[in-house]
Amino acid sequence: MVGHVVNPAGERSGATGSGGRRSRSSTSQFGTLGLHIADPRVESSVLGLLDSVEADLRSSVASADPFVTEAARHLVEAGGKRFRPLLVALGAQFGDPAGPQVVPAAVVMELTHLATLYHDDVMDEAAVRRGAPSANSRWTNSVAILVGDYLFARAADIAADLGPEAVRLQARTFARLVQGQIAETVGPRAGDDPVEHYLRVIADKTGSLIATSARFGGMFGGAAQEHVEALAGYGETVGVAFQLSDDLLDIASESTQSGKTPGTDLREGVPTLPVLYALAADDSDAASVRLREILATGALSDDALHAEALGLLRESPALKRARETVRSYAEDARARLAPLPQSPARHALESLCDFVADRTS
């Protein structure tokens, strides 16, 4: 249920090991997220946990029916950044990362996320997901929906082994995901501020699952309750920041840094934050007026209008304001880490804040 939301992504930064040498394994795992883990022991712990998650993901979606197994493994095998398991792994560093329930908790989070992607592709009529044909295009919409349901059920089954609190949290997170999708589908109601509505949608659709991932890491690693709450607050805020920064990359990047062709949201009429700021502006200069005229038409299938709007947006006060909003969320996420002890894991989480604030500058 994540609609057009893009997984937290990026390109340039990589983690370094001892002596400042770049670690090949950490570069491949963490480089696209701008994550730095300076302590080799913590890095090894996180990488080991992610390897275990990867293996368990494949076994957890197996079914007695070979077709169900094939369809359920479709997106598992397509890869992904495993951002949510990564936050479980980092959260667990504030307790015992080798706790027996940490890996299952990470699997629950990733299965829940993968389930939403099957449903998203149906709603978005997507043909491709992670460089491979989407489940709905390879099979049918009905199969994609049912496989998403199957993954939700598998996640709930594993969560049941973690205890009633895990089941409750996973269910509440799922409820927020669905609530956010409904809110996006219905759109702002009369009297709603479109920007506030959009930020609530992102918090529900993206921030909620990332928050629960960080919470699960702390919980099942046995961290202090104060630290668990700090991790959850951080996860939600940094998740929103990442999504908002993807909105900006869709407009500001000249390459495929955002994981899709620049201007895709604009062409499809998706009202991202810079567009909402531009539509709400009352600037009377010719460029702002012209930009509002074009954006008010919705989806921009005409290449000339699309190029004109993209150029105007890149030079607009709306884009600058959106950058300031992203930086504000990144700084808020960093502030939420204050209760946590100074440690390599905390510094790694802070590096994500730096990355998300800088990637759209």
Side-chain angles (χ1 to χ4, degrees), residues 146-158:
L146 291 169
V147 172
D149 292 345
Y150 173 73
L151 293 182
F152 278 125
R154 292 297 300 125
D157 189 13
I158 298 169

Side-chain angles (χ1 to χ4, degrees), residues 176 203-204 206-208 210-212 231-241 329:
R176 284 191 64 190
D204 283 342
T206 303
S208 63
I210 295 174
T212 302
L231 286 165
Y234 165 86
E236 174 139 353
T237 312
V238 83
V240 173
Y329 272 95

